[in-house]
Amino acid sequence: MYSIGYDIGSSSIKAALVETRTGKSVDVVSKPDVEMEMIALKNGWAEQDPADWWKHICDATKTLIEKNNITASDISGIGISYQMHGLVVVDKEGIPLRNSIIWCDSRAVEIGQDAFDELGNDKCASQLLNSPANFTASKLKWVKENESKVYDKIDKFMLPGDYIAYRLSNKICSTISGLSEGIFWDFKKNTIADWLLEYYQINPSMVPETVDTFSVQGKVSAQGAAESGLAEGTPILYRAGDQPNNALSLNVFNPGEVAATGGTSGVVYAITENLSVKESSRVNNFAHVNYSPSNPRIGKLLCINGSGIQYRWLLNNLDVTSYDEMNQLAASVPIGSDGVTILPFGNGAERMLNNKTLGTQLSNINLNNHTKAHLCRAALEGIAFSFVYGMEIMKSDGIAPKVIRAGNDNLFRSDIFSNTIATLIGQEIEIYNTTGAIGAARACELHTGNFEAFGKQIMENDYVMGFKPIKEKEPYQNAYNDWKKALEILLESK
């Protein structure tokens, strides 16, 4: 038997087939063949048509079944991972009333900030564990204020993963983890934050039913089966936002465990059992996939916008052919890049820097001595230093990392990048070759509660290597101190 996992991203839909018993990955497909369209009607807006997600889910499912010569009845469970913080609104017939306002849309920033100020920073931090900010609840308020005819027809709101589960099962529901990422959950009362709904004047009837993250959340309906190619009655056994799911994919569930991602943007996602929050504006706090009121597990999420996009910019603009070539060039330069410093914050406002927009800064370049090799190393070090800076913020918010696990992406494959972080934080970084779709598929078995077996599957199937702290820390520390000083000078000037 097999489990199928979906990862609903903003650029593509991935679907993975894994052996249910062993957790071994059989195949992963991505749809469409080109990047999905993102609709930007105004500057700072970002929307997608939920029907497109569904179309690509169906195409990917049929491709997996046909390519691997299996039948739909061989699939015993469905897991769903999805882009966080999106808003889907449907009428009483379950039909979307507008495009989804997705995670990177910034139209509701002011609405969320006003709510944070008027409701009280302390109340939001202690009960929501966050500022309402530009999350799903604030986006729904934007629809109410700006599209009243649409709002008046809304029966339910959903997150992107909820919508796909609905199209499969004809059942509208969500999870505590999902509702917390939308900033709808009151952690002090362990219920929907009715006071926030009242402040935003949102009808509580729009809130979906809640189901457990690891449970039979619904079963594929006759219509869902006809459109997707799955068998009617196949259970949906798991769903979560992409960052909690990434942590799950890396076997990160317990306090002190940290998941890191080094893609276009970087993410540090750390687990704690502590509900106290000091950094509600710079760090987000969500119910992790294994959260329960009696056994709280909170995922603290810190995002670094200026991450892999910085290294990709160099790839596109230097006379180099690949990341491997860039890594080799970087390795020819000493720690600290002979004084060259790059602050990699050129991908918009950085939440961890109090939403300041700094732009990428290149400093101390000597036109007689420095080469593209210095730029490659300074970029890798600058991105690594931004992760270390973020970890310092996390530590000030009560996180004490015991283990750090990361996916096998371009940045973490670099010895310079991973060694720099491991050495400065004094913690080994474990690298795993897995994806969100594979993790979602494996998570289907967690409704049985056997987390130990789940973790063993990841170690046996995915472990690649580890980067341990280097004993001679001083050169790394000196380079980081210089970089941090340059950052603090720039922050003071803004």
Side-chain angles (χ1 to χ4, degrees):
M1 299 298 288
Y2 304 90
S3 298
I4 193 167
Y6 299 117
D7 187 5
I8 306 155
S10 50
S11 58
S12 67
I13 305 294
K14 292 182 176 64
L17 196 68
V18 305
E19 292 180 354
T20 301
R21 184 179 61 83
T22 66
K24 182 180 178 181
S25 175
V26 176
D27 198 5
V28 180
V29 300
S30 180
K31 296 289 182 178
D33 296 330
V34 296
E35 191 167 307
M36 280 194 295
E37 180 185 8
M38 197 176 295
I39 304 162
L41 301 178
K42 292 185 179 181
N43 187 33
W45 289 20
E47 301 181 356
Q48 288 183 322
D49 185 349
D52 288 342
W53 304 334
W54 176 241
K55 176 182 181 300
H56 300 314
I57 286 281
C58 296
D59 289 347
T61 304
K62 292 170 185 175
T63 298
L64 275 180
I65 291 173
E66 181 178 352
K67 184 179 174 184
N68 292 281
N69 195 30
I70 64 172
T71 64
S73 59
D74 292 329
I75 297 173
S76 60
I78 302 163
I80 301 171
S81 168
Y82 59 89
Q83 50 175 295
M84 297 174 73
H85 317 308
L87 172 69
V88 180
V89 291
V90 298
D91 63 16
K92 290 184 178 179
E93 303 301 317
I95 298 171
L97 292 163
R98 65 175 328 283
N99 287 330
S100 172
I101 303 175
I102 66 173
W103 66 275
C104 52
D105 185 290
S106 60
R107 74 185 71 186
V109 169
E110 187 175 343
I111 289 172
Q113 185 59 49
D114 287 346
F116 193 43
D117 294 338
E118 293 176 17
L119 291 168
N121 295 7
D122 290 343
K123 182 173 184 175
C124 290
S126 65
Q127 295 184 236
L128 302 175
L129 307 189
N130 296 282
S131 161
N134 186 42
F135 295 119
T136 313
S138 300
K139 290 168 180 171
L140 182 55
K141 173 63 171 175
W142 184 92
V143 173
K144 179 178 177 63
E145 288 186 352
N146 294 274
E147 298 177 349
S148 58
K149 291 183 179 179
V150 170
Y151 182 85
D152 289 344
K153 296 178 182 178
I154 296 174
D155 181 58
K156 299 289 182 185
F157 71 78
M158 288 181 268
L159 298 157
D162 301 335
Y163 177 74
I164 294 303
Y166 159 68
R167 289 299 301 264
L168 286 167
S169 65
N170 200 35
K171 177 182 177 181
I172 295 177
C173 57
S174 190
T175 63
I176 290 176
S177 179
L179 291 171
S180 79
E181 83 183 50
I183 319 299
F184 291 102
W185 193 256
D186 186 322
F187 286 88
K188 184 175 285 187
K189 296 180 179 179
N190 283 307
T191 186
I192 295 296
D194 51 2
W195 51 275
L196 179 66
L197 297 182
E198 183 178 347
Y199 171 82
Y200 275 163
Q201 296 181 307
I202 293 171
N203 191 329
S205 68
M206 294 181 182
V207 180
E209 171 194 351
T210 58
V211 293
D212 291 339
T213 298
F214 307 111
S215 67
V216 179
Q217 301 175 352
K219 295 183 178 181
V220 174
S221 66
Q223 182 175 352
E227 295 180 18
S228 70
L230 292 167
E232 184 177 355
T234 306
I236 300 167
L237 297 170
Y238 164 80
R239 88 185 72 166
D242 50 15
Q243 293 306 326
N245 180 74
N246 179 62
L248 169 141
S249 303
L250 294 167
N251 194 31
V252 169
F253 292 103
N254 299 307
E257 297 175 348
V258 178
T261 306
T264 300
S265 59
V267 170
V268 179
Y269 185 93
I271 308 303
T272 180
E273 58 189 349
N274 193 341
L275 297 182
S276 66
V277 173
K278 295 179 181 177
E279 295 284 357
S280 59
S281 293
R282 296 201 288 175
V283 178
N284 303 132
N285 302 271
F286 307 120
H288 192 36
V289 291
N290 58 336
Y291 170 89
S292 71
S294 60
N295 188 40
R297 292 292 182 267
I298 303 298
K300 286 186 175 289
L301 187 154
L302 180 136
C303 186
I304 306 157
N305 290 339
S307 182
I309 192 172
Q310 172 71 65
Y311 212 43
R312 188 174 68 204
W313 184 90
L314 280 181
L315 174 67
N316 293 338
N317 289 280
L318 291 179
D319 182 22
V320 292
T321 58
S322 67
Y323 288 121
D324 285 340
E325 181 183 351
M326 291 170 67
N327 291 343
Q328 290 171 15
L329 285 168
S332 70
V333 174
I335 298 166
S337 307
D338 284 331
V340 177
T341 298
I342 294 182
L343 302 176
F345 302 118
N347 192 28
E350 289 284 356
R351 185 171 173 83
M352 78 168 183
L353 303 178
N354 291 310
N355 288 314
K356 291 185 177 181
T357 302
L358 302 184
T360 289
Q361 306 284 322
L362 288 75
S363 306
N364 305 325
I365 296 175
N366 185 309
L367 302 178
N368 296 306
N369 301 328
H370 293 138
T371 67
K372 61 185 177 184
H374 291 87
L375 293 180
C376 291
R377 177 143 199 149
L380 279 175
E381 289 182 333
I383 302 165
F385 292 156
S386 68
F387 272 74
V388 174
Y389 187 83
M391 285 299 300
E392 289 179 354
I393 295 172
M394 300 284 269
K395 286 181 180 179
S396 73
D397 208 17
I399 292 296
K402 297 176 183 176
V403 61
I404 298 177
R405 299 189 177 110
N408 193 26
D409 51 36
N410 285 325
L411 285 175
F412 281 101
R413 280 202 298 266
S414 162
D415 289 1
I416 291 171
F417 180 79
S418 292
N419 282 332
T420 298
I421 297 175
T423 301
L424 286 169
I425 65 176
Q427 181 67 56
E428 180 180 2
I429 299 175
E430 300 174 0
I431 307 298
Y432 294 82
N433 188 24
T434 188
T435 70
I438 293 172
R442 288 177 178 155
C444 288
E445 288 303 288
L446 281 174
H447 70 283
T448 65
N450 195 341
F451 283 80
E452 184 178 346
F454 179 86
K456 185 178 179 182
Q457 285 185 350
I458 292 173
M459 286 297 299
E460 291 178 349
N461 289 305
D462 302 337
Y463 180 77
V464 177
M465 63 187 301
F467 291 92
K468 294 184 178 180
I470 293 172
K471 291 182 180 179
E472 295 184 12
K473 180 179 179 180
E474 186 176 0
Y476 292 92
Q477 190 65 55
N478 290 339
Y480 176 60
N481 291 343
D482 290 342
W483 180 93
K484 187 176 179 181
K485 183 177 180 180
L487 173 60
E488 290 173 345
I489 290 171
L490 183 61
L491 288 171
E492 289 175 5
S493 70
K494 294 293 183 176

